[in-house]
Amino acid sequence: MNSTRQSAGNEVGERIIISIDAMGGDRGPSAVVSGMARSQRKNPDIGFIVHGRRDELEPLIARKRGLGDVCEIRDVPDIVTMTEKPAQVIRNGKNTSMWSALDSVKQGEAEVCVSCGNTGALMMLSVVRLRKLPGVDRPAIAVLWPSRNPQGFNVMLDAGADIRADERDLATYSAMGVAYARSGLGIERPRVGLLNVGTEEHKGRAELKLAHEHLQAASVDSDFDYVGFVEGGDLPSDRCDVVVTDGFTGNVALKTGEGTANLIADQLREAFRYSILSRLASLLALTSLRRLKKRIDPRRVNGGVFLGLNGTVVKSHGSADSTGVSAAIKLAYLLTQQRFSEKLAARVASAPNLPQTATTGGNGGSSE
Amino acid sequence: MNSTRQSAGNEVGERIIISIDAMGGDRGPSAVVSGMARSQRKNPDIGFIVHGRRDELEPLIARKRGLGDVCEIRDVPDIVTMTEKPAQVIRNGKNTSMWSALDSVKQGEAEVCVSCGNTGALMMLSVVRLRKLPGVDRPAIAVLWPSRNPQGFNVMLDAGADIRADERDLATYSAMGVAYARSGLGIERPRVGLLNVGTEEHKGRAELKLAHEHLQAASVDSDFDYVGFVEGGDLPSDRCDVVVTDGFTGNVALKTGEGTANLIADQLREAFRYSILSRLASLLALTSLRRLKKRIDPRRVNGGVFLGLNGTVVKSHGSADSTGVSAAIKLAYLLTQQRFSEKLAARVASAPNLPQTATTGGNGGSSE
């Protein structure tokens, strides 16, 4: 479990070191460096290993007061573009900032890596370079979902690392989600729900029923509660803290939620533009609206997290601005501080095993 | 194709007859009768066959001016409750209002039936009583999704009739969705998208790739356009008019969208309650907010439609009030007027066949 490596940068009095892929995002390295500067102002004990072109990064970093003192630049010439196929990156990506940033985690220089780059390439490269944790067949992407819970967010996984998940993967996702909710959201006793098309026990695909039985048993005398099947409407609800699903469903749900929120925001803007009276009202309402916007601003929950590897990778939106990047770094900082990677590995290792069944590896479920 | 039956109630000068299950909803028959009265005021040529307990229905109908003149009551003693299992209803449901309402469609007295009852029971009973259309393996539930398109809505199917769909089902859903978009939304040349986790051709499950190839070929020289893979964020977008997916994914997406919209609405209310200034603002903004609410009011898009049967069934929300019921009846009226059931049957019958492959019947897809 190589805990020496896992706890790197996490000793009392030491800096908390984050490995940063500074080059991959749509807005280029300046948004990333601005985000780093914001994080550094809030957390003076943070430190960065920054991967990218030194000639571009050095002047950007120099412009931010004090940032240069906590940055070590690793000069690498290449960049993984947004359109590059993951397989290409595996073959030819040795000199990219993404590869180099992951290697800092692999070498134990940092526990968590942050990248705004191409998700598919980042995921595949993370698996190849960091390797899966013992006991994990399919790593997952966990996202924070704005919710009615006191902590303001639920954890949903898998948000799209793999398009399939069998009952064993779903059980693993539950264990990883519980670890993440504890370290990332500070929830002592997370409540886990399994995403389905209804809450009745007889509903859904075969792998869901098997995972349901397993989680019922596994939650007995454990440090999490299993609330049973939940539905799409429960993603933003306070019924549970962790929502477990396969990556196909999770990805569609995530993008549907984002799309719906964007549509409503646009319509709200339009409604307020409609008449002079409504313009006046919107002016008066500005503070209220700003408060709401801050609450549901997707940039503030920026950061899907790759779980199930030897080390943790925070994927920031490709289009993230400095607010978004700084949110992703804040999460990476928190997870490092909490020794999250270590705790996750321990939890997966100690999770009760689910026997391999006939349906494992496929999605052949039976309907009701 | 028994077109005599299909066109019942649709002759020039005749009433457009809708079959109404008046008993199943959470709010009881009074909400249903109020909805009928609203619809009748707007469409004087409408007529109803109303199924339920005469002693409850007669006084409710008598209270609405003129409604009694266009209503024929079928006295049936039993009600399908919200918790009843579909199989129970099939065995013992002969004397329920739901059964009777569907039989009016089966007998050709009406082309479309409207019910607020238990979805699972209604779906299974519809399949058993009306039978699937030739060429349809899995009927689907189509819903209207608020969107940025000029018509204000997109069609999504399947929203949860079945938890699986193979490539042939997806192709059938596309044909049915095109027919619905033409009759229900008046779109001459609907654009169809296939819901996936990315828009690249190599992404997604095996059945999606096969359906993708089929739709590319089928759209050539046809009266619809195929735009390729779409993502969750495109459900409310103007990229397409019809979004095709399996019922598991569709159901989760639908409930996620609703849940997200509800969360935002609540937070908006809260934001406006925050201070005296914001209360004042919300007072001024009331008209704008009402306009927005009307636009995204789920009651106004009330009505999932069961497609792929001999006759059409409009499922209204169980909790629908008179506005919701009247929206569902309006849709039923429009579809009858358009001879929708007939057109749908013709389209499915003439759709090019997709060969049965090894993956048919299961969800065994291969990942990329």
Side-chain angles (χ1 to χ4, degrees):
Chain A
M1 209 86 317
N2 99 47
S3 65
T4 328
R5 197 186 64 60
Q6 297 280 354
S7 64
N10 193 17
E11 301 306 316
V12 181
E14 274 189 21
R15 291 208 172 280
I16 289 185
I17 303 293
I18 316 284
S19 173
I20 305 271
D21 167 14
M23 308 302 285
D26 296 335
R27 296 179 188 232
S30 77
V32 177
V33 172
S34 296
M36 288 163 54
R38 285 174 80 119
S39 296
Q40 191 226 348
R41 281 197 293 276
K42 286 181 202 154
N43 306 294
D45 65 336
I46 207 167
F48 300 105
I49 307 176
V50 198
H51 307 261
R53 291 184 186 143
R54 183 183 297 277
D55 55 345
E56 289 186 49
L57 291 172
E58 232 161 27
L60 289 169
I61 291 171
R63 251 182 266 154
K64 307 282 175 185
R65 190 150 50 92
L67 186 59
D69 302 342
V70 300
C71 282
E72 186 191 325
I73 300 176
R74 298 283 162 84
D75 189 20
V76 273
D78 294 348
I79 299 173
V80 176
T81 64
M82 282 297 180
T83 53
E84 223 152 336
K85 292 262 161 66
Q88 282 177 307
V89 178
I90 304 289
R91 275 197 306 275
N92 312 317
K94 256 207 152 128
N95 293 317
T96 61
S97 57
M98 189 185 278
W99 186 295
S100 179
L102 287 169
D103 260 16
S104 273
V105 175
K106 188 177 164 70
Q107 305 305 330
E109 298 177 308
E111 192 180 306
V112 183
C113 157
V114 174
S115 172
C116 307
N118 175 334
T119 309
L122 182 61
M123 185 77 218
M124 200 185 264
L125 202 55
S126 298
V127 174
V128 169
R129 297 303 293 160
L130 303 181
R131 300 265 159 213
K132 292 183 245 179
L133 274 178
V136 173
D137 278 338
R138 292 191 163 103
I141 301 175
V143 295
L144 295 178
W145 196 290
S147 83
R148 295 176 205 269
N149 268 321
Q151 71 272 9
F153 300 102
N154 292 339
V155 173
M156 181 192 80
L157 72 170
D158 173 24
D162 201 302
I163 56 168
R164 286 172 302 181
D166 63 32
E167 60 275 17
R168 298 203 307 166
D169 300 317
L170 295 170
T172 305
Y173 294 173
S174 168
M176 300 198 299
V178 166
Y180 183 42
R182 288 172 66 94
S183 295
L185 295 175
I187 304 169
E188 270 294 294
R189 193 176 173 81
R191 295 160 302 161
V192 175
L194 196 54
L195 191 61
N196 199 347
V197 293
T199 53
E200 301 90 340
E201 298 217 352
H202 63 277
K203 284 214 170 172
R205 298 172 178 151
E207 69 270 22
L208 284 173
K209 291 177 211 172
L210 291 168
H212 177 71
E213 286 163 25
H214 171 75
L215 289 173
Q216 271 180 327
S219 64
V220 175
D221 297 323
S222 188
D223 58 355
F224 71 98
D225 291 318
Y226 175 60
V227 304
F229 289 137
V230 297
E231 299 183 273
D234 292 318
L235 279 162
S237 84
D238 55 4
R239 271 199 69 204
C240 56
D241 308 296
V242 177
V243 178
V244 170
T245 187
D246 67 277
F248 187 93
T249 309
N251 186 273
V252 169
L254 178 65
K255 288 174 180 165
T256 300
E258 288 176 342
T260 306
N262 286 336
L263 179 73
I264 297 174
D266 286 356
Q267 291 183 340
L268 202 61
R269 251 190 300 277
E270 221 172 273
F272 275 123
R273 252 204 312 263
Y274 199 79
S275 69
I276 293 186
L277 195 66
S278 62
R279 274 173 206 243
L280 180 66
S282 79
L283 219 64
L284 279 171
L286 219 60
T287 345
S288 304
L289 292 177
R290 280 221 190 95
R291 202 175 304 123
L292 174 63
K293 205 183 158 197
K294 185 166 171 182
R295 176 118 170 72
I296 58 174
D297 187 349
R299 294 178 305 169
R300 292 183 180 272
V301 288
N302 194 24
V305 181
F306 296 172
L307 303 177
L309 306 169
N310 292 295
T312 302
V313 179
V314 175
K315 164 68 178 76
S316 181
H317 267 295
S319 60
D321 58 10
S322 66
T323 310
V325 173
S326 126
I329 292 174
K330 182 183 169 188
L331 180 60
Y333 175 87
L334 183 68
L335 293 177
T336 305
Q337 200 180 37
Q338 294 275 326
R339 297 175 177 266
F340 168 66
S341 300
E342 201 178 332
K343 287 178 186 164
L344 176 73
R347 180 171 290 268
V348 171
S350 70
N353 258 337
L354 212 150
Q356 184 126 11
T357 70
T359 68
T360 300
N363 278 325
S366 81
S367 123
E368 178 73 18
Chain B
M1 209 89 316
N2 100 44
S3 67
T4 329
R5 196 185 68 56
Q6 297 279 353
S7 63
N10 194 15
E11 302 305 317
V12 181
E14 273 189 22
R15 293 208 171 279
I16 287 184
I17 302 294
I18 315 285
S19 173
I20 306 271
D21 168 13
M23 308 302 287
D26 295 334
R27 295 179 189 232
S30 76
V32 177
V33 172
S34 296
M36 287 161 56
R38 285 174 80 118
S39 296
Q40 190 224 350
R41 283 197 293 276
K42 285 182 203 152
N43 306 293
D45 64 337
I46 206 167
F48 300 104
I49 306 176
V50 198
H51 306 260
R53 291 183 188 145
R54 184 185 297 277
D55 54 345
E56 288 188 51
L57 291 173
E58 232 162 25
L60 289 169
I61 291 171
R63 248 182 269 154
K64 306 284 176 185
R65 190 148 52 89
L67 186 59
D69 303 340
V70 301
C71 281
E72 185 191 326
I73 300 177
R74 297 282 161 83
D75 189 20
V76 274
D78 295 349
I79 299 172
V80 175
T81 65
M82 283 297 181
T83 53
E84 223 151 336
K85 292 261 162 68
Q88 282 177 306
V89 179
I90 303 289
R91 274 197 307 276
N92 312 317
K94 254 204 157 131
N95 293 317
T96 59
S97 57
M98 189 184 278
W99 186 295
S100 178
L102 287 168
D103 261 15
S104 273
V105 175
K106 189 178 163 70
Q107 305 305 332
E109 298 177 307
E111 191 180 306
V112 183
C113 158
V114 174
S115 172
C116 308
N118 175 334
T119 309
L122 182 61
M123 185 78 217
M124 200 185 264
L125 203 54
S126 299
V127 174
V128 169
R129 297 302 295 158
L130 303 181
R131 298 262 158 218
K132 293 183 244 176
L133 273 178
V136 173
D137 277 338
R138 292 191 165 105
I141 301 175
V143 295
L144 295 178
W145 196 291
S147 83
R148 294 176 206 268
N149 268 321
Q151 71 271 10
F153 300 101
N154 293 338
V155 173
M156 181 191 81
L157 73 173
D158 173 23
D162 201 301
I163 57 169
R164 288 171 300 181
D166 62 31
E167 60 275 18
R168 298 203 306 166
D169 300 317
L170 294 170
T172 306
Y173 294 173
S174 166
M176 299 198 301
V178 166
Y180 184 43
R182 289 172 65 96
S183 294
L185 294 174
I187 303 168
E188 271 293 294
R189 195 179 172 79
R191 295 159 303 161
V192 175
L194 196 54
L195 191 60
N196 199 348
V197 294
T199 53
E200 301 90 341
E201 299 218 352
H202 64 277
K203 284 215 169 171
R205 298 171 177 153
E207 69 270 22
L208 285 174
K209 290 177 212 170
L210 291 169
H212 176 73
E213 286 164 23
H214 170 76
L215 288 173
Q216 272 180 326
S219 65
V220 174
D221 296 323
S222 188
D223 58 356
F224 70 98
D225 292 319
Y226 175 59
V227 304
F229 290 136
V230 297
E231 298 182 273
D234 291 317
L235 280 163
S237 83
D238 55 4
R239 269 199 69 206
C240 55
D241 308 296
V242 177
V243 178
V244 170
T245 186
D246 68 277
F248 187 93
T249 309
N251 187 273
V252 169
L254 178 66
K255 288 173 179 164
T256 301
E258 288 176 342
T260 307
N262 285 337
L263 180 74
I264 296 174
D266 286 357
Q267 290 183 341
L268 200 62
R269 251 190 301 276
E270 219 171 275
F272 275 122
R273 253 203 311 263
Y274 199 77
S275 69
I276 294 186
L277 195 64
S278 61
R279 274 172 206 243
L280 179 67
S282 78
L283 220 64
L284 278 172
L286 220 59
T287 343
S288 304
L289 290 178
R290 281 221 190 95
R291 202 175 301 123
L292 174 63
K293 206 183 158 200
K294 185 166 169 180
R295 176 119 172 69
I296 59 174
D297 187 351
R299 295 179 304 168
R300 292 182 179 272
V301 289
N302 193 23
V305 180
F306 296 173
L307 304 177
L309 306 170
N310 292 295
T312 303
V313 179
V314 176
K315 166 67 178 75
S316 182
H317 267 293
S319 59
D321 58 10
S322 66
T323 310
V325 173
S326 127
I329 293 175
K330 182 181 167 188
L331 181 59
Y333 175 86
L334 183 67
L335 294 177
T336 306
Q337 201 179 36
Q338 294 274 325
R339 297 175 176 267
F340 169 66
S341 300
E342 202 178 332
K343 287 179 186 163
L344 176 73
R347 181 171 291 268
V348 170
S350 70
N353 260 335
L354 211 149
Q356 184 124 11
T357 70
T359 69
T360 299
N363 278 325
S366 82
S367 123
E368 179 73 21

